[in-house]
Amino acid sequence: MTVYNPKEIEKQVLEAWEKKKIPEQIVKFSKEKKKFYLLDGPPYVNAEPHVGHVKTTTFKDIWGKFKHMQGYAVWFQPGFDCGGLPIENMVEKKLGLKSKTEIEKIGVDKFIGECNNFAIGNEKTWLDIYRILGAWRGWLKPYLTSENYYIESGWWTVKKIYEKGLLVEGEKPGFWCSHCETVLAGYEVTDSYKNIEDHSIFVKFPLAGKKEFLLVWTTTPWTLPANVAICVHPEEQYVKAEVKKENKKETEVLILAEKRLKLLDELGTKYKILEKFQGKKLEGEKYLPILDIPLQKEIEKNENSHTIIISIPLLKKRVASKIATKKAAEAEEEFGHVVEMETGSGLVHVAPGHGDVDNKLGKHYNLPEPSPVDEKGRLTEETGEFAGKYVKDANFAIIDYLNTKGHMFYPGKVVHSYPLCWRCKTPLIYRMSKQWFLKIDTLKKSMIKENEKVRWLPEFARERFYNILIDAPDWPITRQRYWGIPIPIWVCDKCGARKVIGSVEELKKEALDKIPANMDLHKNSIDKIHIRCECGGKMKRVRDIMDVWFDSSISPWASLGYPFKNKSLFEHLWPVDLIDESQDQVRGWFYYLMFAGFATFEHKPYNTACLNGWTLDEKGEKMSKSLGNVVWADAALKELGSDTLRLYYCYDVSPWDTQKFSLKNAKELQKTLNILWNTYQFIETYSDKKLLKSNITGLFPEDKWLLSRINTLIKKVTEDMENFAFHSVGRSLVDFILNDFSRWYVKLVRDRVSPWYDGKDKKAAQYALVYTLEKLLRLLAPIAPFISDYLYQKLGFVSVHISSWPKTEEKVINTKLEEEMEKVKILTEAMNSMRQEENIKLRWPLAAVYIQAKDKTTASAVKNLRNVIQNIGNVKKITTTLPEKGKTKIKIKEFEGFKLGLGKVLKEEAFIREVIRQIQVMRKEHRLHVKELITLWLHTDEKTKALLMKRTNELKSEVGAKTIHFTSKNIKGKIELEGKTIEVGFEKAEK
Ligand SMILES: [Zn+2]
Ligand SMILES: [Zn+2]
């Protein structure tokens, strides 16, 4: 291969890996070496991998490759999340099932069997991508959260936390999906707010013993049966406003916030203000219920109820993190008074059984928490005439009722942000339900302390995590569903005793029913097993499964089957050394890992946690299937190849910043790899890999400079790698390849490594080239595993990936020299720009250049790197004093650090240079190898011939001619230059 062909390289490297069993050697875990437990946050197995997923995989793989090269035994195992509602949802769709009742009808056995079919086998899609990407995890058997060993490990965990008193049963309010008939955890809700149209009604509650009405606003009429209090803002001004009733004859008095009077204006209601007062004056006033139903009568009995309460500042809502990104803002948290002045009437209906904020208020004021809604979202018996109605229908029935009874002031509509079930899109309701909870209160303080010991990359994530911990509620850990880890708790029919089972062995001992060998541990089989109770009764399993977050939260040990399998391995690996996932996992996996890990082992489960930014489309829009703007993993890999894609992730933005993914920009980076490829071709042609093992002396300043540069680069890249500054690594490497190695050093030493040159300094340049290339490839290996390995193998090694991470040779680093070379770059750039202004081609040699240094570094650069300046600048001489004013036409220009003037062009030499260049082009066209000598025939007029003859030696060595004849033979082309014509002929010289 002479041209860079990424596809071919990747194919050949994969074949070489297979042949030499390289990945197998690397993923084989050895207890002899220092361990590095890299835990894979399991992606959801049925997801289709897109470039966001590949980014996470790439970063994790870079960590693994880097640590492996540093000498660690890295635990690379991948994992997949196979449980939970998304799979149930797909199965429901496939089987055309619309509710839990219908699932029960076709049978839980069949349903779970289908779920299993959906979950298993999809991991192959992912593993294929991992391999194409060159990620080592692709060569291991993954852990699947739906397998028996995983479930059994989950049972062991449940028993452990139960025995510590952390797992309790209780009634708690929470978001509930009436279609899925299950509670949802906070995390599942924060990301699923959507704008929907809802009711927005203003209702009149009569004040007890007065002919005045509280104008109260609500967007959920179905929660009015559970009204317990009305809330006002303590400091805001409220008014009593006299308004005409609908019949236009009588008047009535309404109480509302002064700032909300515009509501009356908007409705065209004329009013007269009778009185103004602060909201807190209303505190404690009693009002009368507006619905004549049993529940309201019951609530009436509580002395705290049906009273006006004062609003308190609360954490009201977390703006969904994904939505926040769309708005190009960080996730926000909204603190504030429950009562706002932007909407409504300034008086808020409070139903502590039906809302998060309401519930906090209810707790604060010690109010009852009625929640008269069943699991299907229907109002219950206590709501009298509304009983049995689904909440949406109850809205209309209640509005009708209020209209008829004269309690309605205005029934309107509003579009607002409301949480929907992330899986079935049903608007969620807030209700009380019986759940098992993992209690946080006794753990919180210690978890916050543990967080201090975690290394967060970037550091700002620590505070984000802290804010989540400080506000974290108990974890409702059960779901009323089918496909997941069954909670291993059995309850006695007769005496209510409970038993928690921590292993299959234990279940076998306690079971009344026979347990078949290799029984699948999912709900359908387990529910058939009964346990004997000490009272003689029969114990039945609690029908719930665990929240799917529980599955992934126990992955540090469940992935190994601990404690039933790999016991000593887990003890060796624990705790996890590093996790690296997308930033939404701070509230997701990172949080649940900490919760479950700490609850189980009283220790932080991970040492380092890295956060990746979002991957959006080119325009900064969230990628979504419905918008059709998703860049799928296989498409990107096909278009770019793995090396370029990986390099792009490590170049474009920092790992934790939002990336606007652009295939076009990524493609640009391929040019760098192409230049690396060409540099390699140059080195292969002009240098010698055997020199790697030799000790070369007589290095020129530029050689010393290159050696210093690569060692400085090793230092910087290593530091950036450790700090997750992968973008900085990528940029440093690209910059080095382009600006130091290829476009600078290679250019500088072209003549010194020419096959026809035999100076003492030749070997030094050849050595610097291979020395640098070898180190560079090792630095590049984690990011671009294919091209680096391809070239490394060409240097005669087995594989770059089983080589070690390069160490900085401190003694070679010469910072002063590096600074001087930077000056030289600036100097020669200035010379080039002056050449351009004066229309002097770079190929034309200058007799001299005048440089007057104005600072120390420039002065020493000119002194020490004189040859480099002459070489790159194509000048014969450097004069450090400027020509006297008036005595010359030489233009002097001022730059930062120096003054510069160009001497005259050496015409004759310029002519020769051009001839040489054109002959070289002809040689190339005739596919002559650079090392092949030629016999050259030149035919031209006498004057030109005389000029050429004067320079025969230069001509010979530059174009690789053994002999030159000044006659016409074997004509290959013609050179037309400054009015002269030279016929050029050549053929391969005899050896
Ligand atoms: Zn749902
Ligand atoms: Zn019992």
Side-chain angles (χ1 to χ4, degrees), residues 486-518:
I487 188 168
I489 299 179
W490 272 256
V491 181
C492 177
D493 276 348
K494 236 163 105 188
C495 72
R498 285 176 188 153
K499 189 163 267 172
V500 182
I501 297 295
S503 70
V504 176
E505 232 9 78
E506 200 181 332
L507 184 62
K508 276 184 187 160
K509 245 185 261 160
E510 304 278 349
L512 286 167
D513 312 85
K514 191 167 161 29
I515 296 183
N518 299 322

Coordinates of all heavy atoms in Angstrom, one line a residue, residues 486-518:
P486 N -37.0 -10.5 40.1 CA -38.2 -10.5 41.1 C -37.7 -10.2 42.5 O -36.6 -10.7 42.9 CB -38.6 -12.0 41.0 CG -37.9 -12.6 39.8 CD -36.7 -11.8 39.6
I487 N -38.4 -9.4 43.2 CA -38.0 -9.2 44.6 C -38.1 -10.5 45.4 O -39.2 -11.1 45.4 CB -38.8 -8.0 45.2 CG1 -38.2 -7.6 46.6 CG2 -40.3 -8.3 45.3 CD1 -38.7 -6.3 47.1
P488 N -37.1 -10.9 46.1 CA -37.1 -12.2 46.7 C -37.7 -12.2 48.1 O -37.1 -12.6 49.1 CB -35.6 -12.6 46.7 CG -34.9 -11.3 46.9 CD -35.7 -10.2 46.2
I489 N -38.9 -11.6 48.2 CA -39.5 -11.5 49.6 C -40.8 -12.3 49.5 O -41.6 -12.1 48.6 CB -39.8 -10.1 50.0 CG1 -38.4 -9.3 50.0 CG2 -40.5 -10.0 51.3 CD1 -38.6 -7.8 50.4
W490 N -40.9 -13.2 50.5 CA -42.1 -14.0 50.6 C -42.9 -13.6 51.9 O -42.3 -13.3 52.9 CB -41.8 -15.5 50.7 CG -41.6 -16.2 49.3 CD1 -42.5 -17.0 48.7 CD2 -40.5 -16.1 48.4 NE1 -42.1 -17.5 47.5 CE2 -40.8 -16.9 47.3 CE3 -39.3 -15.4 48.4 CZ2 -40.0 -17.1 46.2 CZ3 -38.5 -15.6 47.3 CH2 -38.8 -16.4 46.2
V491 N -44.2 -13.6 51.7 CA -45.1 -13.1 52.9 C -46.1 -14.2 53.2 O -46.7 -14.8 52.3 CB -45.8 -11.8 52.6 CG1 -46.6 -11.4 53.8 CG2 -44.8 -10.7 52.2
C492 N -46.3 -14.5 54.5 CA -47.2 -15.5 54.9 C -48.7 -15.1 54.8 O -49.0 -14.0 55.2 CB -46.9 -15.9 56.3 SG -48.1 -17.2 57.0
D493 N -49.5 -15.9 54.2 CA -50.9 -15.7 54.1 C -51.6 -15.5 55.4 O -52.5 -14.7 55.6 CB -51.6 -16.9 53.4 CG -51.5 -16.8 51.9 OD1 -51.1 -15.8 51.4 OD2 -51.7 -17.9 51.2
K494 N -51.1 -16.3 56.3 CA -51.8 -16.5 57.6 C -51.4 -15.5 58.6 O -52.2 -14.7 59.2 CB -51.6 -17.9 58.2 CG -52.8 -18.7 58.4 CD -52.6 -20.2 58.6 CE -52.6 -20.6 60.0 NZ -52.1 -22.0 60.1
C495 N -50.1 -15.4 58.9 CA -49.6 -14.5 60.0 C -48.9 -13.3 59.5 O -48.5 -12.4 60.3 CB -48.7 -15.3 60.9 SG -47.1 -15.7 60.2
G496 N -48.7 -13.2 58.2 CA -48.1 -11.9 57.7 C -46.5 -11.9 57.8 O -45.9 -10.9 57.5
A497 N -45.9 -13.0 58.3 CA -44.5 -13.0 58.5 C -43.8 -12.9 57.1 O -44.4 -13.3 56.1 CB -44.0 -14.3 59.2
R498 N -42.6 -12.3 57.1 CA -41.9 -12.2 55.9 C -40.6 -12.9 55.9 O -40.0 -13.1 56.9 CB -41.5 -10.7 55.7 CG -42.6 -9.8 55.4 CD -42.0 -8.4 55.4 NE -43.1 -7.5 55.2 CZ -43.0 -6.2 55.6 NH1 -42.0 -5.8 56.3 NH2 -44.0 -5.4 55.4
K499 N -40.2 -13.4 54.7 CA -38.9 -14.0 54.6 C -38.2 -13.5 53.3 O -38.8 -13.5 52.3 CB -39.1 -15.5 54.6 CG -37.8 -16.3 54.7 CD -38.0 -17.7 55.1 CE -37.9 -17.9 56.6 NZ -38.3 -19.3 57.0
V500 N -36.9 -13.1 53.5 CA -36.2 -12.7 52.4 C -35.2 -13.8 52.0 O -34.5 -14.3 52.8 CB -35.4 -11.4 52.6 CG1 -34.6 -11.0 51.4 CG2 -36.3 -10.3 53.1
I501 N -35.2 -14.2 50.7 CA -34.4 -15.3 50.2 C -33.2 -14.7 49.5 O -33.3 -13.9 48.6 CB -35.2 -16.2 49.3 CG1 -36.4 -16.8 50.0 CG2 -34.3 -17.2 48.6 CD1 -36.0 -17.8 51.1
G502 N -32.0 -15.2 49.9 CA -30.8 -14.6 49.4 C -30.0 -15.4 48.3 O -29.0 -15.0 47.8
S503 N -30.6 -16.6 48.0 CA -29.9 -17.5 47.0 C -30.8 -18.6 46.6 O -31.8 -18.9 47.3 CB -28.6 -18.1 47.6 OG -29.0 -19.0 48.6
V504 N -30.5 -19.2 45.5 CA -31.2 -20.3 45.0 C -31.2 -21.5 46.0 O -32.2 -22.2 46.3 CB -30.7 -20.8 43.6 CG1 -31.5 -22.0 43.2 CG2 -30.9 -19.7 42.6
E505 N -30.0 -21.7 46.6 CA -29.8 -22.7 47.6 C -30.7 -22.6 48.7 O -31.4 -23.5 49.2 CB -28.3 -22.6 48.1 CG -27.4 -23.8 48.1 CD -27.9 -25.0 47.4 OE1 -27.9 -25.1 46.2 OE2 -28.4 -25.9 48.2
E506 N -30.9 -21.4 49.2 CA -31.7 -21.0 50.3 C -33.2 -21.3 50.0 O -34.0 -21.9 50.7 CB -31.5 -19.6 50.7 CG -32.0 -19.2 52.1 CD -31.8 -17.7 52.4 OE1 -30.9 -17.1 51.8 OE2 -32.5 -17.2 53.2
L507 N -33.5 -20.9 48.7 CA -34.9 -21.1 48.3 C -35.2 -22.6 48.2 O -36.3 -23.1 48.6 CB -35.1 -20.5 46.9 CG -36.5 -20.6 46.3 CD1 -37.5 -19.8 47.2 CD2 -36.6 -20.0 44.9
K508 N -34.3 -23.4 47.8 CA -34.5 -24.9 47.7 C -34.8 -25.4 49.1 O -35.6 -26.3 49.3 CB -33.2 -25.5 47.1 CG -33.2 -25.5 45.6 CD -31.9 -26.3 45.1 CE -31.8 -26.2 43.6 NZ -30.5 -26.5 43.1
K509 N -34.0 -24.9 50.1 CA -34.2 -25.4 51.4 C -35.6 -25.1 52.0 O -36.2 -25.8 52.7 CB -33.1 -24.8 52.3 CG -32.1 -25.8 52.9 CD -31.2 -25.2 53.9 CE -29.8 -24.9 53.2 NZ -29.0 -23.9 53.9
E510 N -36.1 -23.9 51.7 CA -37.3 -23.4 52.3 C -38.6 -23.7 51.5 O -39.7 -23.6 52.0 CB -37.2 -21.8 52.4 CG -36.0 -21.3 53.2 CD -36.2 -21.4 54.7 OE1 -37.4 -21.6 55.1 OE2 -35.2 -21.2 55.4
A511 N -38.4 -24.1 50.2 CA -39.5 -24.2 49.3 C -40.4 -25.4 49.7 O -40.0 -26.4 50.1 CB -39.1 -24.3 47.9
L512 N -41.7 -25.2 49.5 CA -42.7 -26.2 49.6 C -42.8 -27.0 48.3 O -43.1 -28.2 48.2 CB -44.1 -25.7 50.0 CG -44.2 -25.2 51.4 CD1 -45.5 -24.4 51.5 CD2 -44.3 -26.4 52.4
D513 N -42.5 -26.2 47.2 CA -42.6 -26.8 45.9 C -41.2 -27.3 45.4 O -40.2 -26.8 45.9 CB -43.2 -25.8 44.9 CG -44.4 -25.1 45.4 OD1 -44.2 -24.1 46.2 OD2 -45.5 -25.6 45.1
K514 N -41.3 -28.2 44.5 CA -40.0 -28.7 43.9 C -39.4 -27.7 43.0 O -40.1 -27.1 42.2 CB -40.3 -30.0 43.2 CG -39.0 -30.7 42.8 CD -39.2 -32.2 42.4 CE -38.1 -32.8 41.6 NZ -36.8 -32.3 41.9
I515 N -38.1 -27.5 43.1 CA -37.4 -26.5 42.3 C -36.7 -27.3 41.2 O -35.7 -28.0 41.6 CB -36.5 -25.6 43.1 CG1 -37.4 -24.8 44.0 CG2 -35.7 -24.7 42.2 CD1 -36.7 -23.8 44.9
P516 N -37.1 -27.1 40.0 CA -36.3 -27.8 38.9 C -34.9 -27.4 38.8 O -34.6 -26.2 39.1 CB -37.1 -27.5 37.6 CG -38.0 -26.4 38.0 CD -38.1 -26.2 39.5
A517 N -34.1 -28.3 38.3 CA -32.7 -27.9 38.1 C -32.6 -26.8 37.1 O -33.4 -26.8 36.1 CB -31.9 -29.1 37.6
N518 N -31.7 -25.8 37.2 CA -31.5 -24.7 36.3 C -32.8 -23.9 36.0 O -33.1 -23.5 34.9 CB -31.0 -25.2 34.9 CG -29.6 -25.8 35.1 OD1 -28.8 -25.4 35.9 ND2 -29.4 -26.9 34.4

